[in-house]
Amino acid sequence: MRLTPLLGMALALGLTVTDVAAQAATTNSPFAPVILVNGLGVTGYEIEQRMRFMQLLRQPGDLRKAAEKSLIEDRLRVWAAKQAGIVLDKDAVAKGMTEFAGRANLTSEQFVAELAKTGVDEPTFRDFVTAGLVWRELVKQRFGPRVRISDSDIDRAMLMESERGGGTRVLISEIILPAPPGQEAEAHAEAEKISQLRSEAAFAEAARQMSAASTRDNGGRLDWMPLDNLPPALRPVLLGLAPGQASAPIELNGAVAIFMMRSIDEHGPAGTRAQTLGYATLALGPAGSEQAAQLAQKAAAAKRCDDLYTVVKGLPVSLVSRHDPAPQGALPKDIALALAGLDIGETTVLSRGAGQELVMLCSREAAVDDAKGETAPNRDAVRARLQNERMGIYSDSYLADLTANAVIVRP
């Protein structure tokens, strides 16, 4: 982690976070901190660099907002790791950079050269990788002992992945609690209470009172759906539930989800080959606004994703975004979950702070290449996948807690 000259000098002199903020406000230097996270500075230069980095990685949406959020979370990751005494040597960081670059079939040096062409410096890449590495080690140390994968867990997962049956279906209920910035801790605490419910009636009542999902009027109840349609990380969570049992809270994009298993139909092992999903979104505008109501009404007649462009006729076409088919696990959690219950051409509406966004499923296909001779994974591979999925849930929850309790100052 690089300390800016201003922050480093202030800390050396024993100044407080407020002192640093006051000094930062008196300078227009791009290397002055514009955000302080538990005393660690985020500079304007770093935000611009992260924006360029995200642009190169084809990050959608508001890049500045995403860059600030990403850097704040990275500071928290590094801060928490430091509290736990986790330090990485240069070789570990270099290996991490090489692994990341390898995803693009490039060496670390080649990847850095490509970054340079777009104005992204090497320290930006190194800091990004370092934050991820220390966080992975911290989560492993903190939650690894809690993750226990039994032989029955592996047996169930391997049954799911076989292709010999008609498919497992689940009947579940959902509660989606909004968790806007600054209110994550309250939402998580409420979700913890709901997760203790053991009655379908009580869960349904909680859904009617608190859920932000469109299913709230129906007590959060969803229809039967193939397990394949659900995000990969959610499948083992649901299969670990008995009927009438609620899941632990699951972090989504600006929300917390809790699911209750109502019934499971295992008339045949599920064919859970990976799926690729294509979808489109339509920004409706502020919830309750006339524009949102009109667009939603017009969108109700849309039968395919291309029809959404007709819906926004006379309005900026940028309100509609088409997303190329991508693996379920690569989609934002709330999007993947929303698409799980949709057929092609169907829509649902998600909350986006004070606004709403309509999501339509464009395509759903099996991501399988039989020419490669794909086979079911062995038990060790299944165990590793289940461990990673469960660790991911702990990781998301822990980061949300750190964010909710952090001291974040914007000079």
Side-chain angles (χ1 to χ4, degrees):
M1 174 75 60
R2 295 169 295 162
L3 291 179
T4 64
L6 175 60
L7 183 59
M9 183 182 299
L11 296 178
L13 294 174
L15 298 181
T16 65
V17 168
T18 303
D19 295 327
V20 175
Q23 284 187 291
T26 64
T27 178
N28 292 322
S29 169
F31 299 103
V34 295
I35 305 174
L36 291 167
V37 185
N38 290 350
L40 300 176
V42 176
T43 70
Y45 178 75
E46 288 175 305
I47 293 173
E48 293 296 328
Q49 283 281 296
R50 184 59 64 91
M51 289 172 64
R52 293 183 182 184
F53 187 40
M54 288 179 160
Q55 188 173 29
L56 181 65
L57 298 179
R58 298 181 180 179
Q59 171 86 23
D62 186 334
L63 289 184
R64 183 172 187 87
K65 183 177 180 181
E68 290 186 2
K69 180 177 184 292
S70 176
L71 285 165
I72 288 172
E73 291 178 345
D74 277 359
R75 291 297 188 270
L76 290 173
R77 292 182 177 103
V78 172
W79 176 84
K82 183 177 180 181
Q83 301 300 308
I86 296 174
V87 179
L88 297 179
D89 57 33
K90 293 182 179 179
D91 289 342
V93 175
K95 181 179 179 182
M97 294 171 68
T98 298
E99 290 177 353
F100 189 92
R103 300 175 190 174
N105 295 318
L106 298 173
T107 66
S108 181
E109 292 76 13
Q110 290 171 332
F111 191 76
V112 169
E114 290 299 317
L115 291 176
K117 293 178 182 179
T118 61
V120 180
D121 62 30
E122 183 177 3
T124 294
F125 177 39
R126 185 185 305 113
D127 287 352
F128 172 79
V129 171
T130 299
L133 291 174
V134 296
W135 179 251
R136 184 168 62 186
E137 184 62 27
L138 174 61
V139 170
K140 179 181 177 181
Q141 290 185 12
R142 188 179 181 92
F143 301 109
R146 303 187 191 181
V147 177
R148 294 286 185 270
I149 307 299
S150 67
D151 287 342
S152 60
D153 291 331
I154 298 174
D155 291 339
R156 182 183 291 119
M158 293 188 75
L159 273 176
M160 287 169 52
E161 293 171 2
S162 71
E163 289 292 327
R164 296 171 298 175
T168 297
R169 302 186 305 160
V170 291
L171 191 63
I172 60 176
S173 296
E174 65 176 0
I175 293 178
I176 310 295
L177 300 180
Q183 299 180 32
E184 294 91 347
E186 292 87 342
H188 200 275
E190 194 63 49
E192 288 284 359
K193 295 178 183 177
I194 295 173
S195 69
Q196 302 304 312
L197 297 176
R198 292 295 182 270
S199 161
E200 289 185 26
F203 193 89
E205 183 60 28
R208 295 187 186 96
Q209 294 182 6
M210 292 177 284
S211 181
S214 58
T215 54
R216 61 183 177 275
D217 294 336
N218 193 36
R221 296 182 180 89
L222 294 166
D223 293 332
W224 283 104
M225 70 173 65
L227 198 64
D228 290 11
N229 287 10
L230 290 163
L234 185 56
R235 297 171 193 166
V237 174
L238 294 178
L239 286 178
L241 301 176
Q245 182 180 9
S247 71
I250 298 173
E251 303 294 332
L252 300 178
N253 180 23
V256 183
I258 316 96
F259 300 93
M260 174 169 278
M261 176 65 72
R262 286 156 44 215
S263 184
I264 183 168
D265 176 14
E266 294 180 303
H267 61 78
T272 58
R273 283 180 173 174
Q275 294 182 358
T276 58
L277 305 176
Y279 68 98
T281 59
L282 167 60
L284 298 176
S289 67
E290 183 177 351
Q291 174 179 303
Q294 291 179 349
L295 288 176
Q297 183 177 10
K298 291 180 180 178
K303 301 301 182 184
R304 55 193 183 122
C305 289
D306 286 344
D307 294 342
L308 295 180
Y309 291 103
T310 303
V311 173
V312 298
K313 185 177 182 180
L315 297 172
V317 70
S318 59
L319 292 177
V320 176
S321 297
R322 286 290 298 266
H323 300 266
D324 292 334
Q328 285 173 302
L331 301 180
K333 287 184 179 179
D334 58 338
I335 294 290
L337 183 60
L339 296 178
L342 301 181
D343 290 328
I344 294 174
E346 290 185 339
T347 64
T348 189
V349 175
L350 299 179
S351 297
R352 289 288 184 261
Q356 292 182 312
E357 183 177 68
L358 180 140
V359 181
M360 174 179 278
L361 179 63
C362 304
S363 64
R364 184 192 300 278
E365 298 178 354
V368 175
D369 187 351
D370 291 328
K372 295 180 179 179
E374 293 178 341
T375 59
N378 59 37
R379 295 185 69 84
D380 289 340
V382 171
R383 182 186 298 277
R385 177 175 63 77
L386 293 178
Q387 287 175 331
N388 289 336
E389 289 170 351
R390 296 185 187 181
M391 290 288 282
I393 294 173
Y394 279 120
S395 173
D396 291 346
S397 179
Y398 184 33
L399 183 58
D401 288 342
L402 288 176
T403 303
N405 295 307
V407 178
I408 301 175
V409 179
R410 294 177 182 267

